[in-house]
C-alpha cells in the first residue's frame, strides 16, 4: 500500500526511478538510512514519518498510520492527491525535512537527526518574541542573577529533553536566560540518582556546567529510599565534589502529596541534620504543613549560627519571623509562587528583610504568573525565569530590581560560599 511500506531492504535505483511517487520513496529511503545510522539497527520492520506538525489532518491520518490499507479506487485517488501535495511540501520545506522525525517501531524509540527531543518543545514564536523583549529590558541590569534552587533532573523529563549534554540545553533554551544570569543551584534530592557512587558519578557527568552548582540530600518524599550505600555516595559528594555546596533539600512534609510515613521522615531528617552539624555543611530545608516540628528539630540538632536555606517557605509571618530570630544565618527562599494569588505568602515576604531572602524558581515548578508572560505556551519553569521572582519581589517591597538581585547575590555567597 501507499501507507505501509515494509523496510526489509532499501529501494534499488531502478525501483526509485520507476516509482509512481519517486520523491516520497526517496524520502522514505533517506529516513531508513538515517535510522540505521543512528540506531545501528539490523532489522527495522517499518518506518513511520511526518512532514510537519502543521500538516492537514487528512495528511496525518494517511501518512502516519502504519496499519491502514488502501482498498477503494476513491481512497487510492485521495492518496495520490495527498502524496502530490506532500511532494510539493518536500520542495518547499527542505530545511524542515532535515529535522525529520523517525520512529523505529520495533524499538519504540523516537530519534531526530538534529535533536534528542521533540521539536515542539523548543521555544515557540510567541515565547521568542516575549523573551527578546524581556532580554532588551534586562540589559540595563548589571548585577549577577542567580537562581538558588532548581531541579534539572526533573525539568528534562517534563520537556522530553533527552540530550545528554547540558551545554546543548543552554544553547537550545538560551532565550530563557538573561545576559546577567550567572549561575543556578541544582538540587539533587531523589536517592535514585545517588543510590551508589557510580550512579552519582554518571549524574554529575550529565549535569556538569560552569553555571551549575549542586546540593544533595533526601527529600522527604523519598525518605523511605535511604540506604547506607546512598548515604556513602552523598557524603563522598559533599566532601570531595568541588561544586556540591550544601546538604539537602531535606525536611518534613505532611501534605497530601507525600505518602512516606512521618516517623520515617523524622528519622531520615534527623540523620541529615546530624551530618550537616558534624561536617558544618550548609543545609537546605523543605518544610510543608509541619513548621513547628521542623523548627524544633533544627533548634535541637543545629547550632544557632548554622547556614540554612529555608526553601520555598509558605508558612505564616509569625513562624517565619520566629525562624529568622532563632537562626541569624537562615535565609528564606522565595519562588514564583508570589506571582500567584497567595496573599498570605505576599504578606509574609513583605514582613521579612530583603537581606534574609533567596531568589528561587524551583524549576520545573511554578511557571510565573506575571503580566504579558506567554503562559499559554510555557508549561514548565526554567532556571532562567528567576528574573520573574526578582521583579515580583522588587514590586512587592517597592525597591529597585538591581537592589533585589544584588542582595540575592550576596545572600547566595553567604549561604553557599560561591
Amino acid at each position: 500500500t501507499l501507507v505501509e511500506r515494509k523496510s526489509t531492504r532499501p529501494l534499488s535505483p531502478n525501483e526509485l526511478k520507476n516509482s509512481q511517487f519517486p520523491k516520497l520513496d526517496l524520502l522514505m529511503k533517506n529516513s531508513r538510512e538515517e535510522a540505521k545510522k543512528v540506531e545501528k539497527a539490523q532489522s527495522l520492520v517499518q518506518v513511520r514519518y511526518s512532514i510537519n506538525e502543521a500538516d492537514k489532518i487528512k495528511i496525518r491520518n494517511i501518512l502516519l498510520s502504519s496499519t491502514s490499507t488502501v482498498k477503494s479506487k476513491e481512497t487510492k485517488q485521495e492518496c495520490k492527491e495527498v502524496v502530490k501535495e506532500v511532494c510539493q511540501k518536500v520542495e518547499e520545506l527542505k530545511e524542515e525535512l532535515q529535522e525529520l522525525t523517525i520512529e523505529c517501531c520495533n524499538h519504540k524509540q523516537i530519534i531526530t537527526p538534529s535533536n534528542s527531543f521533540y521539536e515542539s518543545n523548543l521555544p515557540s514564536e510567541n515565547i521568542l518574541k516575549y523573551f527578546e523583549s524581556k532580554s532588551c529590558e534586562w540589559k540595563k541590569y548589571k548585577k549577577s542573577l542567580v537562581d538558588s534552587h532548581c531541579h534539572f533532573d526533573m525539568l528534562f523529563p517534563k520537556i522530553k529533553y533527552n540530550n545528554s549534554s547540558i551545554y546543548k540545553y543552554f544553547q537550545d533554551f538560551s532565550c530563557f536566560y538573561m545576559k546577567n544570569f550567572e549561575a543556578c543551584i541544582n538540587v539533587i534530592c531523589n536517592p535514585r540518582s545517588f543510590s551508589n557512587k557510580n550512579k552519582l558519578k554518571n549524574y554529575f557527568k550529565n549535569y556538569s556546567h560552569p553555571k551549575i552548582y549542586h546540593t544533595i540530600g533526601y527529600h522527604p518524599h523519598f525518605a523511605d529510599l535511604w540506604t547506607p550505600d546512598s548515604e556513602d555516595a552523598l557524603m563522598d559528594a559533599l566532601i570531595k565534589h568541588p561544586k556540591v555546596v550544601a546538604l539537602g533539600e531535606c525536611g518534613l512534609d505532611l501534605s497530601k502529596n507525600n505518602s512516606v510515613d512521618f516517623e520515617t521522615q523524622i528519622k531520615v531528617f534527623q540523620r541529615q541534620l546530624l551530618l550537616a552539624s558534624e561536617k558544618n555543611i550548609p543545609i537546605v530545608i523543605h518544610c510543608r504543613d509541619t513548621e513547628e516540628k521542623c523548627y524544633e528539630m533544627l533548634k535541637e540538632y543545629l547550632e544557632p549560627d548554622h547556614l540554612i536555606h529555608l526553601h520555598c517557605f509558605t508558612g505564616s509571618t509569625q513562624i517565619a519571623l520566629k525562624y529568622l530570630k532563632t537562626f541569624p544565618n537562615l535565609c528564606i527562599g522565595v519562588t514564583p509562587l508570589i506571582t500567584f494569588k497567595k496573599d498570605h505568602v505576599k504578606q509574609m515576604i513583605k514582613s521579612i528583610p530583603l537581606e534574609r531572602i533567596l531568589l528561587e524558581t524551583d524549576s520545573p515548578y511554578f511557571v510565573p504568573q506575571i503580566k504579558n508572560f506567554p503562559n499559554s505556551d510555557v508549561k514548565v519553569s526554567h532556571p532562567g525565569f528567576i528574573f520573574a521572582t526578582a521583579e515580583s519581589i522588587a514590586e512587592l517591597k517597592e525597591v529597585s530590581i538591581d537592589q533585589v538581585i544584588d542582595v540575592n547575590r550576596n545572600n547566595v555567597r553567604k549561604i553557599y560560599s560561591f
Side-chain angles (χ1 to χ4, degrees):
T1 68
L2 293 175
V3 178
E4 181 176 347
R5 180 183 290 281
K6 301 296 182 179
S7 60
T8 54
R9 62 177 180 83
L11 290 173
S12 68
N14 286 336
E15 286 173 320
L16 276 174
K17 184 178 179 180
N18 297 325
S19 172
Q20 187 176 1
F21 306 109
K23 292 181 179 179
L24 182 60
D25 286 327
L26 180 60
L27 178 61
M28 295 183 72
K29 178 177 180 289
N30 291 340
S31 298
R32 273 193 298 274
E33 289 175 352
E34 184 66 39
K36 285 180 180 179
K37 257 193 274 182
V38 178
E39 283 291 276
K40 297 180 181 178
Q42 298 299 315
S43 58
L44 293 182
V45 177
Q46 58 190 47
V47 173
R48 291 187 291 179
Y49 58 95
S50 61
I51 303 302
N52 189 293
E53 279 296 319
D55 287 343
K56 295 179 181 179
I57 293 175
K58 63 177 182 178
I59 297 175
R60 300 177 74 174
N61 288 343
I62 295 176
L63 293 182
L64 294 181
S65 171
S66 62
T67 57
S68 302
T69 58
V70 179
K71 295 182 178 179
S72 68
K73 290 183 179 180
E74 291 77 14
T75 308
K76 286 183 179 180
Q77 182 59 37
E78 183 182 357
C79 282
K80 290 179 181 180
E81 293 173 359
V82 170
V83 171
K84 183 179 179 181
E85 185 176 349
V86 170
C87 289
Q88 290 173 352
K89 279 181 171 287
V90 169
E91 295 299 320
E92 298 168 359
L93 307 173
K94 286 181 179 179
E95 185 175 337
E96 290 187 27
L97 286 171
Q98 290 174 359
E99 297 178 354
L100 184 68
T101 298
I102 304 165
E103 181 178 353
C104 301
C105 302
N106 61 333
H107 290 292
K108 303 299 182 185
Q109 257 185 326
I110 297 295
I111 310 161
T112 55
S114 59
N115 294 295
S116 299
F117 71 112
Y118 297 101
E119 294 291 339
S120 60
N121 289 304
L122 281 173
S124 68
E125 187 176 341
N126 286 342
I127 294 173
L128 290 172
K129 185 176 180 181
Y130 172 84
F131 277 96
E132 183 180 358
S133 173
K134 182 60 67 174
S135 182
C136 290
E137 180 185 331
W138 267 72
K139 283 181 180 178
K140 61 186 176 184
Y141 303 122
K142 305 301 181 184
K143 304 295 183 180
S144 294
L145 191 57
V146 179
D147 177 11
S148 68
H149 196 104
C150 63
H151 303 269
F152 276 108
D153 56 353
M154 297 180 187
L155 170 63
F156 281 15
K158 285 185 177 292
I159 61 173
K160 298 181 175 66
Y161 195 82
N162 303 316
N163 197 305
S164 60
S165 172
I166 189 73
Y167 287 83
K168 188 69 167 62
Y169 161 81
F170 278 109
Q171 291 175 8
D172 288 336
F173 295 92
S174 59
C175 68
F176 288 162
Y177 292 84
M178 302 297 112
K179 295 296 184 183
N180 61 333
F181 184 90
E182 178 190 348
C184 55
I185 300 176
N186 173 53
V187 179
I188 311 168
C189 59
N190 185 341
R192 294 183 183 90
S193 299
F194 56 91
S195 57
N196 58 60
K197 292 180 182 179
N198 284 334
K199 276 197 172 182
L200 190 56
K201 182 180 179 180
N202 289 332
Y203 183 97
F204 286 133
K205 182 180 179 181
N206 291 334
Y207 296 101
S208 290
H209 189 277
K211 292 183 182 293
I212 299 178
Y213 293 80
H214 306 277
T215 72
I216 183 170
Y218 299 87
H219 192 285
H221 287 196
F222 306 114
D224 55 345
L225 298 181
W226 180 94
T227 64
D229 284 347
S230 60
E231 183 177 306
D232 286 345
L234 176 147
M235 289 307 300
D236 190 65
L238 285 167
I239 295 170
K240 297 180 181 179
H241 198 287
K243 299 197 78 174
V244 174
V245 293
L247 193 157
E249 67 188 271
C250 59
L252 303 173
D253 190 323
L254 282 177
S255 70
K256 63 181 181 180
N257 296 323
N258 191 11
S259 60
V260 178
D261 174 75
F262 193 53
E263 288 303 314
T264 300
Q265 292 185 52
I266 290 174
K267 289 178 182 178
V268 175
F269 184 34
Q270 179 188 40
R271 179 61 184 157
Q272 291 174 97
L273 289 171
L274 290 169
L275 291 173
S277 178
E278 178 186 342
K279 303 296 182 181
N280 194 28
I281 299 169
I283 193 166
V284 184
I285 302 299
H286 174 106
C287 180
R288 291 289 176 276
D289 300 335
T290 177
E291 287 81 10
E292 288 294 344
K293 179 62 177 178
C294 192
Y295 171 83
E296 292 171 7
M297 291 187 69
L298 291 178
K299 194 173 180 181
E300 180 177 357
Y301 295 105
L302 299 180
E303 294 296 325
D305 62 349
H306 201 93
L307 296 170
I308 303 170
H309 178 171
L310 188 55
H311 154 63
C312 189
F313 189 72
T314 57
S316 67
T317 300
Q318 183 180 3
I319 190 67
L321 294 175
K322 184 178 177 180
Y323 273 94
L324 294 174
K325 182 178 180 181
T326 304
F327 301 100
N329 288 330
L330 179 147
C331 286
I332 290 178
V334 180
T335 70
L337 191 62
I338 62 166
T339 68
F340 293 54
K341 294 180 179 179
K342 300 284 185 180
D343 292 340
H344 76 285
V345 175
K346 293 179 180 179
Q347 185 57 48
M348 183 263 293
I349 299 304
K350 277 185 178 180
S351 303
I352 63 179
L354 185 61
E355 290 71 23
R356 305 294 294 276
I357 288 176
L358 284 168
L359 304 183
E360 303 180 6
T361 60
D362 202 16
S363 169
Y365 309 104
F366 306 127
V367 176
Q369 305 293 306
I370 58 177
K371 186 178 179 180
N372 298 327
F373 194 83
N375 291 93
S376 59
D377 294 314
V378 180
K379 303 304 179 185
V380 296
S381 180
H382 292 251
F385 296 178
I386 193 64
F387 73 87
T389 311
E391 289 180 352
S392 300
I393 289 178
E395 182 181 358
L396 200 62
K397 287 191 164 290
E398 299 180 341
V399 298
S400 70
I401 291 175
D402 251 335
Q403 183 179 351
V404 170
I405 59 180
D406 188 36
V407 171
N408 176 66
R409 185 65 190 90
N410 290 333
N411 290 343
V412 169
R413 189 176 291 112
K414 171 186 174 182
I415 299 296
Y416 292 108
S417 301
F418 76 84

